[in-house]
Amino acid sequence: MSSSPVTSPAPAQPYGRPPLRTVHVLGGSAGDGGCAHVRSLATGLAARGVRVTVCAPVAAEGEYDFTGAGARFEPDAASALRAACAGADVVHAHGVRAGMRALLALRGRRVPLVVSWHGDGPPAAGALGRLGRLLERQVARAAAVVLGASSDLVDLARLRGARDARLAPVAIPAAPEPDDPGKARAELGVVGRPLLIAVGGLAPHRGYPVLLDAARDWRAMDPLPLLVIAGEGPLRAELSRRIEAEGLPVRLLGHRRDAAQLLAAADLAVLPGRGEPRAPLAQEALRAGVPLVAAAVGGVPELVGEGAALVPYGDAPALSGTVTALLADPDRRASLAAAGRAQAATWPSEDDTVAQVLSVYDELMERPRR
């Protein structure tokens, strides 16, 4: 059964005296989707008088500037995390791995734990998969509240034993207004040919091998489209070898701070992977009116509605055919762009997200401590 988002009003501001003290725990790389969400939360919570401490990798502070959002930053060393949690009223972990680290830091303390499940990638097989399910169970059962970014994650948290799991869609900050799209296209050498873009780390769950399979079919198109992939990661060498050996019309751009500008210049955006129920690329593409082709997996169909062209996950011929058909049909692309903007207008704003999270904190402060 699908879940409904919490609609409790935010508590009156300022929060009260003394200020509510929250610690946000991030795990994984600096580029994961939770970082942008925590940056947005830190900004909104600090503006409402909440004291926010963010414990995360040092690289994440350099990338997202939590301090500039009004938070105190602490590196994610175990000792620093335990010290930060010692003075907290609420600890909020983002992701299952971060939830486990927060549990260890809170051992022996009666501080409520909120865990946001954004999707930590697809489930692993074998021993790693069993370990992942064990961690999910431990975190789900220990959390006072689990906030799932999509309905399927809420259902998963309940399956793993969460006593209180709620839908909490994650809003990301709106991208800045793009510069002249023609300038970005000229810099990429894309004049008189279609430009396709994918954004995200070069990791197995992103679906890039399937995307390259689809790109083989595009070699016969005239004009020849160019696919650019903005992101860095462990698959770079493997993907580079394939691109060169097969003569694919694909360029790996590495990590780009101007990915939003590149997206605005694209004819199509492509999201072939899984593990991102509120994928930033999907949100940014629909907001910008860039037609999106995405794998129908996880929370993506719930996110995009009728605002994107969906294909089966891992189906290279379907992905190739859908992209080819859209490039040949400007009316369909315009219709998708309009539907995408309409779908984006239904998403919660950053203020809505902050209000929902703050209402959860307020509720936990009223509960007896376990």
Side-chain angles (χ1 to χ4, degrees):
M1 176 184 290
S2 178
S3 306
S4 300
V6 177
T7 56
S8 304
Q13 303 303 327
Y15 195 89
R17 287 191 285 261
L20 183 69
R21 299 164 298 176
T22 66
V23 173
H24 292 256
V25 184
L26 277 160
S29 66
D32 68 27
C35 290
H37 175 51
V38 171
R39 215 284 180 180
S40 175
L41 281 182
T43 302
L45 292 172
R48 289 163 171 80
V50 177
R51 290 183 179 174
V52 180
T53 298
V54 175
C55 291
V58 172
E61 167 65 4
E63 179 76 13
Y64 291 91
D65 187 21
F66 302 114
T67 304
R72 174 186 172 193
F73 175 77
E74 292 287 350
D76 61 345
S79 57
L81 177 56
R82 186 165 178 81
C85 290
D89 297 307
V90 176
V91 173
H92 189 159
H94 298 266
V96 174
R97 291 186 290 273
M100 195 66 222
R101 295 179 60 249
L103 278 179
L104 294 174
L106 286 171
R107 185 176 293 170
R109 294 189 172 98
R110 293 186 297 172
V111 177
L113 173 65
V114 177
V115 181
S116 287
W117 284 21
H118 306 295
D120 285 348
L128 284 178
R130 291 191 293 273
L131 176 60
R133 290 189 291 274
L134 175 62
L135 293 180
E136 288 174 351
R137 284 195 295 271
Q138 289 183 318
V139 170
R141 293 172 181 176
V145 177
V146 175
L147 301 176
S150 59
S151 295
D152 63 312
L153 289 176
V154 174
D155 294 339
L156 177 61
R158 289 173 178 160
L159 180 66
R160 296 291 188 254
R163 58 185 184 271
D164 188 343
R166 314 178 190 185
L167 181 62
V170 173
I172 64 170
E177 284 296 319
D179 297 329
D180 178 14
K183 179 180 178 182
R185 293 177 70 96
E187 289 175 353
L188 292 171
V190 186
V191 178
R193 60 190 292 202
L195 175 63
L196 316 179
I197 186 169
V199 180
L202 306 182
H205 69 277
R206 301 284 186 178
Y208 292 135
V210 173
L211 186 55
L212 295 194
D213 290 342
R216 279 201 301 260
D217 296 337
W218 302 333
R219 292 177 301 183
M221 295 179 63
D222 184 20
L224 178 67
L226 174 66
L227 168 66
V228 297
I229 302 175
E232 197 53 84
L235 290 187
R236 168 174 273 277
E238 174 187 328
L239 298 176
S240 295
R241 283 193 297 269
R242 278 198 60 187
I243 291 168
E244 182 176 359
E246 300 174 31
L248 302 178
V250 180
R251 188 180 304 167
L252 302 180
L253 302 181
H255 179 68
R256 296 287 293 248
R257 292 182 178 272
D258 62 344
Q261 304 289 331
L262 299 177
L263 174 64
D267 298 286
L268 283 178
V270 189
L271 184 66
R274 61 188 300 180
E276 291 183 290
R278 302 287 294 186
L281 174 63
Q283 294 191 54
E284 292 171 1
L286 267 61
R287 283 175 177 169
V290 177
L292 172 71
V293 179
V297 65
V300 170
E302 179 181 23
L303 173 68
V304 302
E306 300 296 320
L310 297 176
V311 298
Y313 173 73
D315 190 334
L319 177 59
S320 171
T322 300
V323 168
T324 300
L326 281 172
L327 290 178
D329 190 345
D331 291 339
R332 173 61 177 151
R333 294 202 306 274
S335 176
L336 265 186
R341 287 193 177 99
Q343 177 69 9
T346 70
W347 297 335
S349 67
E350 290 183 85
D351 280 345
D352 294 333
T353 299
V354 171
Q356 179 183 358
V357 168
L358 196 48
S359 72
V360 171
Y361 297 166
D362 186 53
E363 179 185 331
L364 291 175
M365 292 300 94
E366 299 299 323
R367 292 185 188 178
R369 296 288 180 97
R370 288 186 51 150

